[in-house]
Amino acid sequence: MLLAAVLVVIAVAVVFDYTNGFHDAANAIATSVATRALSPRVALLMAAVMNLVGAHLGTEVASTVGSGIIEAPQGMAGLAVVLAALVGAIIWNLVTWWFGLPSSSSHALIGGLVGAALASAGTVKWAGVLDKVVIPMILSPVVGFVLSSIVMIVLLWIFKDSRPTRTTRGFRIAQTVSAAAMALGHGLQDAQKTMGVIVLALVVGGFHQGSEVPWWVVLISAGALSLGTYAGGWRIMRTLGRRIIDLDPPRGFAAELTASSILYTTAFVFAAPISTTQTITSSILGVGATKRLSAVRWGVGGNIAVAWVLTLPAAALCAALAFWLIHPLVT
C-alpha cells in the first residue's frame, strides 16, 4: 500500500513537471519568437533540448526544496502532504495558464508544500522559506529590472554608430544563444524542484535516506519538463512576447542574457529556487523602460505582479483544500 502511494505521488509529480514545462516554455523563448529570431516550433524544440541538459547540471536546488521547506511526517500521512502540495501547485498552474498570466510554477509548488504542511499541522521551516524563497522572490525581479536596464544602456552606447539593419540581424543571431542559455537555466532551476519533491516522497515513504537525488529521478524530471516545454505555452508566450512591450532583437538579447545570468547565480551559488517567470518578466520590463517609459504596458505588468503576489497564498490554499480531501482517504 505504501509503495503504491509513493508511485502515485511520483506520477502526480511528473504531471506537475509537465505542466511546469508548458506553463513556463514562454520564459525561454517568448522574446526570441517575438523578435522573429526563431520560429515558434524551432524555439520550442531548442528549449526542450536545453531544458533536458540543464536538468542534469546540479541538484542543490532540489535539496533545498526536498529538505529545506517543510518537515513532512513519515508514512501515509507524509505522502498525503506531498500529494496535496502537488495537486495545489497543478491547479494554480492551470488557472494562471488559462488566463495567460506568467505566474511562478516554483512558487506554486513551494506554496503548495507550505499549505499542505499547515493543513496537516506539520512543521514549516519558516527560516528556510524566508531565506530561500521570500527574499529571492523580492530581490530577483528588482535585480532583473535594474541589471537588464544597465545591460541595455551599455549595448545602446556600444552600437550607437552602427547600421540599424546590420545590428538587428546580428542580435537575431545572438538571440539563438541567449535563448538557449535561458532554456538551460530554466532546466537547471525548475526540473530540480520536481526532483526535490520526488525525493521528499521517497524519504517519507521509507524508500530513501538523505537528500541525494537518484539518477532515475533526474531522468524522469528532466524528461517530463522537456516534453511539457515542447508542448508549448502559447497563451503565456503572447503575454511575455507581445503584450508587455514590442521587443526588438537587441532588447530581447539583453533580457535573456540578464535573466539567464541570474538563474545560474542563484542555482549554483545560493541554491535558491527562484522564479524563472519573475526573472525574465522583470528583465523584459527593464529593457523596455530604456526605450521610453510609455513603451511598456504597465497595466499588463501590474496584472502579472498581482499574480506573483497571489501565487504563494493561492497555491497554499489549493493544497490545504486538497489535503483535507485526500487525508481521510489514506488514514
Side-chain angles (χ1 to χ4, degrees):
M1 185 68 180
L2 198 61
L3 176 59
V6 170
L7 292 176
V8 169
V9 173
I10 292 174
V12 176
V14 171
V15 172
F16 165 77
D17 207 20
Y18 182 84
T19 67
N20 188 346
F22 76 71
H23 188 279
D24 289 2
N27 295 341
I29 63 173
T31 53
S32 54
V33 171
T35 60
R36 296 181 176 83
L38 295 171
S39 68
R41 197 52 67 182
V42 169
L44 282 170
L45 179 60
M46 180 272 295
V49 172
M50 297 308 290
N51 270 325
L52 186 65
V53 174
H56 289 81
L57 295 183
T59 57
E60 293 84 357
V61 173
S63 297
T64 297
V65 173
S67 60
I69 305 300
I70 67 170
E71 284 186 10
Q74 294 294 308
M76 294 297 289
L79 290 173
V81 170
V82 180
L83 180 58
L86 289 166
V87 170
I90 290 171
I91 290 172
W92 187 247
N93 266 358
L94 293 176
V95 168
T96 51
W97 167 79
W98 179 257
F99 288 103
L101 291 174
S103 69
S104 169
S105 296
S106 308
H107 294 156
L109 179 58
I110 292 166
L113 288 169
V114 171
L118 292 175
S120 67
T123 301
V124 177
K125 298 180 179 179
W126 292 111
V129 173
L130 178 64
D131 293 342
K132 298 293 187 179
V133 180
V134 176
I135 292 177
M137 181 179 71
I138 295 171
L139 288 181
S140 60
V142 175
V143 172
F145 184 90
V146 174
L147 189 58
S148 64
S149 300
I150 294 172
V151 170
M152 192 63 228
I153 291 171
V154 171
L155 290 177
L156 288 171
W157 182 80
I158 292 174
F159 293 97
K160 66 181 187 299
D161 297 325
S162 62
R163 294 172 57 187
T165 303
R166 183 177 179 182
T167 301
T168 298
R169 188 184 307 116
F171 274 107
R172 278 207 176 99
I173 297 172
Q175 264 200 281
T176 62
V177 178
S178 61
M182 185 67 200
L184 190 74
H186 179 249
L188 173 66
Q189 275 279 348
D190 283 44
Q192 287 194 55
K193 292 149 193 172
T194 302
M195 295 178 206
V197 171
I198 293 176
V199 169
L200 178 60
L202 293 172
V203 169
V204 300
F207 295 96
H208 187 72
Q209 291 183 342
S211 58
E212 184 178 350
V213 182
W215 66 267
W216 60 269
V217 174
V218 176
L219 190 63
I220 64 173
S221 298
L225 185 69
S226 295
L227 288 174
T229 297
Y230 189 67
W234 303 107
R235 292 173 182 270
I236 295 173
M237 200 182 301
R238 283 193 293 269
T239 299
L240 279 181
R242 298 175 183 174
R243 292 181 59 200
I244 295 176
I245 183 177
D246 295 322
L247 284 169
D248 53 29
R251 286 178 170 80
F253 171 79
E256 290 169 341
L257 177 66
T258 301
S260 58
S261 300
I262 295 172
L263 292 177
Y264 298 146
T265 301
T266 51
F268 288 125
V269 179
F270 301 107
I274 71 162
S275 167
T276 54
T277 305
Q278 285 187 346
T279 306
I280 187 61
T281 306
S282 60
S283 296
I284 291 173
L285 289 169
V287 298
T290 63
K291 190 174 185 180
R292 63 180 185 279
L293 291 178
S294 61
V296 178
R297 299 178 181 95
W298 296 104
V300 176
N303 292 336
I304 294 171
V306 170
W308 291 352
V309 173
L310 288 179
T311 292
L312 279 173
L317 178 60
C318 291
L321 294 174
F323 176 81
W324 289 324
L325 291 174
I326 294 169
H327 187 254
L329 302 178
V330 298
T331 57

